[in-house]
Amino acid sequence: MTDYLDIYKDEIDCDAIRELRKEPTRIMNSKGNKPLLELIEQLPALKFEDNDFTKKAVRFGQKEDLTESQRTELKEQLKQLIPWRKGPFDIAGIEMDTEWRSDYKWDMLEGYLPDMKGQRICDIGANSGYYMYRMLADEPEFILGLDPTVKYFLQFQALQKLTAENCLHYDAFGMEHLTHFPKFFDTIFCMGILYHHPDPVGMLRIMNQSMRSGGDIIIESQAIPGDDHVALFPDDTYALVKGTYFVPTANCLINWLKKAKFVDIEFFHSHPMSSNDQRKTEWMPFRSYEDFVNEETGLTVEGYPAPIRIYLRAKKKA
């Protein structure tokens, strides 16, 4: 696949991006990750043509594309990349039931998504790339996934070996590196990630600056219930997750978007979290929602209000 730096070399800071790539490459080639990198190289390049990105479980190929022994071998290879958190996927009959039912979140966005045909899109916190594959159904020009977690980058690389050539690209960067893409994206997705940054308003400003005039931002976030314009700032962990900084109310997040110069802000959905949409599975056998939150008391294990999920969209001023 052609490196997107060669396609958009006159519009983005290619030298800075190439420099940023050195650290994830070093991490992937380190002793601990080298076996996983070798696993990706050993995966068969199946490049299925018959895919369906409109289904709740993104489908690569058909069951008859693999023999039972091939399917068993491929499943064992993919399970070496656990935890698989965002999905689900159907890989030639392999049902990958991930920790998150990300299709539930995607369903919440239906009716609120912009027309993405021919657009340049960024998926921040892309994880395995589930949402990126769902976007393909709209025929965008270019989709870039950003996520600094090397394991998720490798999961995406594994999935890309299973499907025909597409417009998806991925770098193991954080959202702060959007500074290298000035006025570049038509649409940004920020799904389940903003509360993991100590400066959410600063990050929203960076996103705004990386967007074209009139562009759209779609945000899905963990939040706390209530109408006050406040955010919870947990002590050490929130629902046993380190690296959680500000957990806002919907009104607080709306104010953040205003301060980041977004307009036409719409808060269009919220729902309580539960073990129906985040749970242990064969593909993510570690602790999950039921271990973090007491669903009877409505409190996290630390005693904080249990999280809800909120959905908003906004625009960069034209």
Side-chain angles (χ1 to χ4, degrees):
M1 176 179 287
T2 303
D3 190 333
Y4 71 87
L5 298 185
D6 296 323
I7 302 172
Y8 300 109
K9 60 185 177 181
D10 296 326
E11 299 182 63
I12 56 180
D13 191 343
C14 296
D15 290 341
I17 293 168
R18 289 191 178 95
E19 188 65 27
L20 284 171
R21 285 177 174 174
K22 291 180 180 178
E23 181 60 12
T25 300
R26 183 194 68 77
I27 294 172
M28 277 182 275
N29 283 282
S30 65
K31 184 177 180 180
N33 288 313
K34 193 66 178 290
L36 295 179
L37 190 59
E38 292 173 351
L39 170 69
I40 302 301
E41 294 169 352
Q42 293 163 8
L43 281 172
L46 298 172
K47 298 297 180 183
F48 295 125
E49 295 280 352
D50 187 359
N51 308 306
D52 192 340
F53 304 121
T54 67
K55 300 294 186 184
K56 291 180 179 295
V58 168
R59 178 174 62 76
F60 301 102
Q62 297 278 8
K63 188 171 184 178
E64 55 266 27
D65 291 332
L66 297 178
T67 66
E68 200 58 44
S69 61
Q70 288 174 322
R71 193 162 20 257
T72 298
E73 181 179 4
L74 179 58
K75 181 177 180 179
E76 290 308 308
Q77 289 173 311
L78 293 173
K79 286 184 74 172
Q80 293 181 53
L81 292 168
I82 62 171
W84 288 84
R85 298 194 182 276
K86 291 185 180 181
F89 297 98
D90 176 353
I91 302 169
I94 300 171
E95 296 181 2
M96 185 184 288
D97 185 15
T98 51
E99 178 187 20
W100 280 97
R101 287 298 306 264
S102 302
D103 55 307
Y104 291 177
K105 295 185 182 181
W106 192 256
D107 288 347
M108 301 298 177
L109 303 181
E110 296 235 308
Y112 297 94
L113 293 172
D115 180 3
M116 293 184 282
K117 187 176 178 65
Q119 285 201 347
R120 301 175 185 179
I121 302 168
C122 184
D123 182 13
I124 299 172
N127 200 271
S128 62
Y130 174 84
Y131 296 124
M132 298 167 67
Y133 287 107
R134 294 298 302 265
M135 296 172 204
L136 279 178
D138 281 1
E139 301 180 357
E141 173 191 315
F142 167 75
I143 303 174
L144 176 64
L146 296 181
D147 198 309
T149 305
V150 166
K151 176 70 72 68
Y152 302 150
F153 175 87
L154 293 174
Q155 289 174 353
F156 173 77
Q157 297 304 322
L159 294 175
Q160 282 291 81
K161 296 194 76 171
L162 304 176
T163 185
E165 190 89 358
N166 54 45
C167 65
L168 305 187
H169 300 259
Y170 198 120
D171 267 311
F173 304 157
M175 66 177 91
E176 63 272 20
H177 298 125
L178 283 173
T179 53
H180 303 306
F181 299 84
K183 299 179 181 179
F184 183 79
F185 295 106
D186 298 292
T187 300
I188 287 182
F189 285 81
C190 183
M191 305 278 286
I193 196 69
L194 193 59
Y195 47 88
H196 287 310
H197 202 282
D199 182 11
V201 176
M203 290 304 99
L204 287 169
R205 285 174 174 161
I206 288 173
M207 291 180 221
N208 188 297
Q209 292 161 8
S210 73
M211 294 168 62
R212 289 171 164 176
S213 295
D216 295 275
I217 186 167
I218 303 293
I219 295 181
E220 180 272 330
S221 180
Q222 192 168 248
I224 54 173
D227 296 325
D228 292 335
H229 299 243
V230 298
L232 171 70
F233 188 77
D235 178 14
D236 182 38
T237 63
Y238 178 68
L240 292 184
V241 178
K242 288 183 177 291
T244 300
Y245 292 91
F246 297 95
V247 187
T249 62
N251 282 331
C252 179
L253 183 44
I254 288 170
N255 285 348
W256 289 350
L257 284 162
K258 289 178 180 177
K259 290 184 183 298
K261 306 302 183 185
F262 285 99
V263 298
D264 298 337
I265 302 164
E266 182 179 2
F267 165 44
F268 60 87
H269 185 74
S270 68
H271 67 86
M273 290 179 62
S274 76
S275 52
N276 291 325
D277 46 17
Q278 183 190 16
R279 67 272 191 273
K280 299 175 187 175
T281 74
E282 177 185 5
W283 295 87
M284 206 302 292
F286 311 118
R287 294 187 302 182
S288 191
Y289 187 83
E290 64 183 12
D291 303 298
F292 307 154
V293 174
N294 185 323
E295 294 191 64
E296 291 185 5
T297 65
L299 300 175
T300 69
V301 294
E302 300 91 352
Y304 297 122
I308 62 172
R309 310 301 298 195
I310 58 175
Y311 300 75
L312 302 93
R313 66 177 182 180
K315 282 187 171 291
K316 178 172 180 173
K317 188 174 181 180

